[in-house]
Amino acid sequence: MYPRIDFLYLSEPAMIHAGVLNAAACVSVCEETFGLLGKGDYLMGGPNHNHHGISITFPPHSAFPNMPMSGPDRRFAAMPGYLGGRFDVCGNKWYGSNHANAKEGLPRSILTMMLNDKQTGAPLALMSANLLSAARTGAVAGVGAKHLANRDARVISVVGCGPINKACLTALMTQLPSVKKIVCFDIILQRAENFARWAEKKYDVSVVGVSDAEPCFRDGDVITVAASRAKPLYFKDEWIKEGATILVSGPFNTDDSFLTNCKIVFDHTPMHRAYLEEGIASGDKEAYYSGEMGGPFYRLLDAGKLPALEEATGLGDVVNCIKPGRLNFEERIIFISCGMSVFDIAWGFDVYKTAAANGIGTLLNLWHEPSGF
């Protein structure tokens, strides 16, 4: 009871105990979130309520000796949001990212998530969010597969063998019961083979690791792309077979002919309009687009080679049966997912509720009563 404020702290082991890695449940929650997005029952940052977040990036040179210098994937970012429906809660994902973290034995990004009461701003939970973020990223791809992939898809191609694609593959396997083969590509063959061994132990299917991108793309009925920001992947139109579904969770480049001759489904079109506005405001759209996952689409939108975003399809439209998903077996579909705080909020909320109901985590006190009032 107020004015006392307590909140729940959930470490990574506590998050695991509370079910953060339950891929099927996470897919269901993310599908529910897409439904709310399609209805407009959400808010994110910026004056248009659709900004992905706000980032601190570092300069190549500085007169201040303690200021960090720019480097591959080096930034801090805050991703605030509100999600309605049964969630009815505010939250913010905060992370620091640095490609050089691997030298310290750390993941590239270190993330935390805070949930807050929508009325008072009081903290409800502070949680470790690396697994949370990976799980919801994978689950978003899982929702994409559920609504866009051919139901008899037999081959999943994994492009980029890092932790994000582990989460993506885990979610996809809850939605694609006909899969018989997994092809794992990474430019470092050892990583691809390690990923393949992990998948082979987890699933009763044929798995192979490769370091050549072309056969991986050509083989895939469903292709999950989560390559490194430091090494954006290029694939060719001719590599993508009839009926394939590409689920994009990381940066990429491809032939313009592919993007103008396939069905494009965005995670949420209003957010991509915000990206276009930010590109204009940056004063250097080309440089801005080069750093964004949606860059290949934005260039074509600017050039008038793709229909305007007002006419485009968001996955929330498909989930809410406002627009169709896959129309036939032959369609080639690409789904672009740039990440949205509302998915972290949704899955974080459910994990928090499970933890609170089962005595998981550590209760921390903010104050017994606020000073100076």
Side-chain angles (χ1 to χ4, degrees):
M1 295 293 293
Y2 296 123
R4 178 189 176 104
I5 292 178
D6 296 312
F7 63 97
L8 193 62
Y9 168 66
L10 295 169
S11 66
E12 186 170 273
M15 292 290 283
I16 294 170
H17 189 194
V20 72
L21 298 179
N22 185 333
C26 190
V27 170
S28 179
V29 167
C30 287
E31 184 177 38
E32 184 180 359
T33 304
F34 272 115
L36 293 171
L37 282 171
K39 294 174 183 175
D41 193 4
Y42 75 98
L43 296 168
M44 295 198 302
N48 54 21
H49 306 302
N50 279 297
H51 282 252
H52 172 268
I54 186 166
S55 296
I56 301 170
T57 56
F58 299 104
H61 308 286
S62 173
F64 305 99
N66 291 331
M67 183 177 288
M69 298 295 98
S70 63
D73 217 5
R74 190 171 195 179
R75 66 195 186 281
F76 283 87
M79 296 171 62
Y82 162 80
L83 184 63
R86 69 176 177 85
F87 305 99
D88 198 28
V89 69
C90 288
N92 181 61
K93 183 169 78 172
W94 170 249
Y95 70 89
S97 179
N98 189 348
H99 190 71
N101 278 359
K103 297 176 183 176
E104 307 296 332
L106 294 169
R108 174 183 59 82
S109 297
I110 299 176
L111 303 91
T112 54
M113 181 77 195
M114 178 69 82
L115 297 176
N116 297 82
D117 181 273
K118 68 172 185 179
Q119 297 289 359
T120 66
L124 301 173
L126 171 64
M127 56 188 70
S128 170
N130 276 52
L131 295 179
L132 172 74
S133 185
R136 68 85 168 153
T137 301
V140 166
V143 179
K146 176 178 179 178
H147 289 273
L148 304 174
N150 279 307
R151 301 314 301 160
D152 62 350
R154 298 177 68 83
V155 179
I156 294 177
S157 291
V158 175
V159 179
C161 293
I164 295 301
N165 250 344
K166 276 191 176 181
C168 290
L169 179 61
T170 302
L172 294 181
M173 292 298 285
T174 70
Q175 303 301 312
L176 300 172
S178 298
V179 169
K180 301 299 181 186
K181 181 180 179 182
I182 301 169
V183 183
C184 311
F185 161 78
D186 199 278
I187 58 172
I188 301 172
L189 181 58
Q190 187 64 53
R191 287 180 53 140
E193 291 176 339
N194 290 344
F195 193 104
R197 281 193 288 271
W198 167 81
E200 198 168 36
K201 288 179 183 178
K202 192 173 178 69
Y203 303 108
D204 185 23
V205 298
S206 170
V207 188
V208 61
V210 300
S211 57
D212 185 355
E214 181 176 348
C216 183
F217 275 96
R218 285 188 182 275
D219 211 16
D221 298 312
V222 175
I223 303 164
T224 170
V225 178
S228 167
R229 281 182 177 268
K231 304 180 187 72
L233 186 86
Y234 187 92
F235 65 86
K236 295 183 179 181
D237 187 349
E238 65 191 63
W239 296 356
I240 310 303
K241 68 182 180 181
E242 186 179 82
T245 304
I246 303 180
L247 307 166
V248 175
S249 304
F252 75 100
N253 284 295
T254 187
D255 302 333
D256 288 357
S257 59
F258 174 70
L259 296 181
T260 54
N261 287 288
C262 72
K263 181 170 192 168
I264 299 170
V265 177
F266 294 91
D267 46 3
H268 192 52
T269 54
M271 182 178 68
H272 292 277
R273 283 198 293 271
Y275 272 121
L276 287 171
E277 292 170 7
E278 290 173 19
I280 293 169
S282 74
D284 187 346
K285 289 193 293 184
E286 182 56 37
Y288 180 84
Y289 293 166
S290 295
E292 299 299 333
M293 280 194 284
F297 301 96
Y298 305 154
R299 292 186 189 97
L300 293 176
L301 285 163
D302 273 352
K305 295 180 179 180
L306 290 177
L309 281 171
E310 287 74 15
E311 303 171 38
T313 298
L315 191 55
D317 301 326
V318 178
V319 168
N320 290 335
C321 300
I322 295 169
K323 293 184 178 180
R326 175 171 290 278
L327 292 174
N328 54 59
F329 176 86
E330 293 79 17
E331 274 189 311
R332 298 187 304 172
I333 299 178
I334 187 165
F335 170 59
I336 174 71
S337 170
C338 288
M340 301 176 69
S341 62
V342 290
F343 292 102
D344 300 281
I345 291 168
W347 188 227
F349 179 84
D350 267 22
V351 173
Y352 156 62
K353 285 294 188 181
T354 298
N358 291 278
I360 300 168
T362 303
L363 200 64
L364 300 178
N365 177 252
L366 189 68
W367 60 52
H368 290 277
E369 61 180 48
S371 294
F373 283 84

